[in-house]
Amino acid sequence: MIDILLIYPPYLSKHKSPPLGLAYLAAFVEQQGYKVKILDMNPLGLTLSDIEDSIKKNKPEIIGISFMTNQFGNALKVAQTCKSIYPKIPIILGGNHVSALPEEAMEYDFVDFVILREGEITFRQLVEALDKGIENWEKIDGLVFKRDGNIIKNRDRALIEDLDILPFPKWDDFPINAYSEKILGVSEELPVFSVFTSRGCPGKCAFCSSHTAFTRRFRKRSAENIFSELQFLEEKFGARYFNFIDDTLTIDKKRVDELCDLIINTNKQYRWIANARVNTVDKEVLKKMYMAGCRNICFGVESGDPEVRKNVGKGIAGEQIKNAHIWAKDAGLIVSSFFMVGNLGETWESIEKTIALARELHSDYPTCAIATPFPDTRFMEEAEKNGWLITKDWNRYITNPHIDQDYFPVSTNGILSAEELLEAYYKVNAAFAKIKLTTKYGERYLFNPEFYTKEIGSRIKKLGISDSLQLGWKLLKGGFN
């Protein structure tokens, strides 16, 4: 028997990092003596039909469920199943989606509480109140609850200023070898451990909802605290590969420099990946990152059209994009570049500019997604105001058609139709595929045996023959458009 069961519902993608939010909650309340178990359903091989047995086996007193927007339907099914087994058990929901739309979730009679935004302190106070049988819900900041049939939303909780006070996330319940992250440029396949080094992104991108949970105020862990977590994970789990999953690791370059020094001076042979903005890096920090084991850096470019980048509030210039890619490659880093189609104001001309810029950048791994208006984003505000939304079926709010063969966009941008967005997506991805292959194998990649063994073989292994053929056909058609 355990006190608290934390559940991360099934998701469409086959490739996912662990739900660190739940791992932080677990570690935080375990400091108070509670026994907590985490179920990340996908990598554990648990389906919705398996959850009943898991609930009966663990016999929890409290159940918490965290999820992203496209997991909403599965989260409700999990919650309903839990309530049907133990009608009096408190069901608590948290995460980005319910922080944006708490009343929507609370309309369901099998949902008792929603925790808003940053959850550690609110969750601990709620657990302690439930444990003592004290219904002082009004006194718990950051909580949404029901009283006499009414939904009551308390004031927001103040942010945790010193992130170093938080315990390291609880990894004990995660099936470490089941997670699929890989570090590009590293031949050895070992588990990659995700690490948050900060909270809050000061960016104001129209398509991004990361501010919903952590706001736009940047708060950081110290370099010493981050390094201690890396050492802890190495000592306990043998970790050597890490993914810093902050929106932007390089906001504070001095802190990055300090972290790199700690890794270098202790002769740690760590390898890691990080996200960065092109306007937060320079030659020196990129070289230092490589020396400290960084092998893959990811830049959000979004569009080759300066007007589109301006429309979405990206705040980066073409020269900054080009310089960052040159500096990163000169430092020895493998560069991943993230683009989208369908952002605010994007046209077919914009899409051609995206393809042209990607060719000029010679990025090792350019990728493309379809811009999607998630709750609590400026894109969603514009889509609702202008009647662009096609559906609010949250289960369909995914950004990558590769994940779902039946994918169809959930919104337009008022210029390109849904059908045109799909056409643009495959057109850009077809161009990107050629860029990746020529960068990796040369202009005559079709005559390079490694192309067939590494690319075609791995794709079939990953997707299966049927899905690989379908994807190949869509990309081939995109290449002729």
Side-chain angles (χ1 to χ4, degrees), residues 172-189:
D172 305 72
D173 296 326
F174 291 145
I176 292 165
N177 290 305
Y179 295 106
S180 58
E181 291 178 295
K182 296 289 183 291
I183 295 182
L184 301 174
V186 177
S187 57
E188 189 179 18
E189 291 193 4

Side-chain angles (χ1 to χ4, degrees), residues 358-360 362 431 433-448 451-452:
R359 286 179 178 142
E360 188 177 351
H362 297 290
K434 187 171 183 179
I435 292 168
K436 283 186 274 191
L437 294 175
T438 53
T439 300
K440 196 171 183 180
Y441 302 109
E443 290 290 339
R444 293 169 60 82
Y445 62 88
L446 289 174
F447 298 94
N448 188 330
F451 162 70
Y452 295 96

Side-chain angles (χ1 to χ4, degrees), residues 200-208 210 216 218 246-253 274-282 285-286 289 297-302 309 312-317 320-325 327-328 336 338:
C201 177
K204 296 181 180 179
C205 300
F207 51 81
C208 183
S210 70
R216 290 193 168 93
F218 178 68
D246 310 54
D247 292 314
T248 306
L249 179 69
T250 51
I251 289 176
D252 185 340
K253 286 186 282 191
N275 299 314
R277 283 176 62 96
V278 298
N279 59 348
T280 63
V281 296
D282 54 37
V285 75
L286 292 168
M289 289 168 67
I297 192 162
C298 308
F299 293 127
V301 179
E302 319 315 347
R309 295 198 301 270
V312 300
K314 187 66 184 179
I316 56 175
Q320 291 172 320
I321 295 169
K322 295 170 186 176
N323 285 340
H325 281 71
W327 296 337
S336 299
F338 302 148

Side-chain angles (χ1 to χ4, degrees), residues 264-381:
I264 293 167
N265 293 339
T266 52
N267 199 32
K268 293 292 186 182
Q269 299 302 303
Y270 296 152
R271 296 292 179 263
W272 44 281
I273 182 174
N275 299 314
R277 283 176 62 96
V278 298
N279 59 348
T280 63
V281 296
D282 54 37
K283 294 178 182 179
E284 289 71 28
V285 75
L286 292 168
K287 288 177 182 177
K288 191 71 163 284
M289 289 168 67
Y290 183 85
M291 290 172 60
C294 183
R295 290 298 178 266
N296 180 206
I297 192 162
C298 308
F299 293 127
V301 179
E302 319 315 347
S303 175
D305 187 342
E307 200 60 34
V308 173
R309 295 198 301 270
K310 180 181 177 182
N311 291 341
V312 300
K314 187 66 184 179
I316 56 175
E319 185 177 0
Q320 291 172 320
I321 295 169
K322 295 170 186 176
N323 285 340
H325 281 71
I326 293 169
W327 296 337
K329 291 176 82 70
D330 286 347
L333 295 165
I334 290 175
V335 182
S336 299
S337 312
F338 302 148
F339 294 85
M340 296 183 186
V341 296
N343 258 315
L344 297 176
E346 185 150 50
T347 64
W348 278 110
E349 184 180 356
S350 307
I351 289 161
E352 293 296 340
K353 290 179 180 179
T354 289
I355 294 171
L357 178 60
R359 286 179 178 142
E360 188 177 351
L361 295 176
H362 297 290
S363 175
D364 297 288
Y365 285 89
T367 62
C368 179
I370 291 183
T372 303
F374 287 99
D376 197 29
T377 63
R378 183 159 60 87
F379 192 2
M380 174 60 86
E381 291 177 12

Side-chain angles (χ1 to χ4, degrees), residues 202-230:
K204 296 181 180 179
C205 300
F207 51 81
C208 183
S209 65
S210 70
H211 65 277
T212 303
F214 295 139
T215 78
R216 290 193 168 93
R217 186 152 64 80
F218 178 68
R219 293 161 293 139
K220 60 186 178 181
R221 296 168 59 190
S222 66
E224 292 78 11
N225 183 256
I226 300 163
F227 184 63
S228 293
E229 183 179 356
L230 305 187

